[in-house]
Amino acid sequence: QVQLVESGGGLVQPGGSLRLSCAASGSIDSINAMGWYRQAPGKERELVGRVYNDGSTDYIDSVEGRFTIGRDNAKNTVYLQMNSLKPEDTAVYFCYADLRSIGVWRNYWGQGTQVTVSS
């Protein structure tokens, strides 16, 4: 019923930029938050940032000031604008949504998109 589809990953040199998009589709009643996790090789999955239903956002310290989360509520879409990318940002990025579908609250996950920062 609900699907999250990410796009925008790729290979970029240090200092470059990428913009990730995630569109949620299906029978969505309400969205509490949407955001992004990432998992680098050999590391645990971590929350990168999220936007809440009131428009507020939060980020982990390592991306604060470099990454920006935006949203388009009409399209159930969340964006991650990544600037000044570092090799340590290399990871698979997963979109997630905390939402209600057909009366049930739960988290949904995208399949992930690879971001590689390398010279």
Side-chain angles (χ1 to χ4, degrees):
Q1 287 291 326
V2 176
Q3 185 179 30
L4 305 183
V5 180
E6 303 109 328
S7 63
L11 174 64
V12 64
Q13 292 185 336
S17 298
L18 283 174
R19 181 178 173 89
L20 306 183
S21 298
C22 173
S25 62
S27 300
I28 300 171
D29 301 332
S30 182
I31 299 177
N32 181 53
M34 293 186 70
W36 299 87
Y37 281 75
R38 69 184 181 187
Q39 187 164 26
K43 299 182 180 179
E44 66 182 6
R45 187 174 297 188
E46 64 179 351
L47 177 67
V48 177
R50 55 192 163 189
V51 57
Y52 298 94
N53 60 2
D54 65 356
S56 61
T57 57
D58 56 35
Y59 305 89
I60 55 172
D61 290 343
S62 61
V63 308
E64 186 76 47
R66 299 188 298 119
F67 291 9
T68 303
I69 290 178
R71 65 176 183 173
D72 185 339
N73 290 338
K75 298 180 179 180
N76 290 330
T77 298
V78 64
Y79 305 93
L80 184 65
Q81 179 66 47
M82 303 183 292
N83 299 324
S84 302
L85 282 161
K86 305 175 181 179
E88 64 201 65
D89 296 317
T90 296
V92 177
Y93 284 71
F94 298 90
C95 178
Y96 93 95
D98 177 18
L99 58 80
R100 189 180 71 188
S101 176
I102 319 178
V104 179
W105 286 99
R106 61 157 286 185
N107 291 334
Y108 293 85
W109 298 87
Q111 290 298 116
T113 184
Q114 177 71 46
V115 172
T116 302
V117 184
S118 177
S119 61

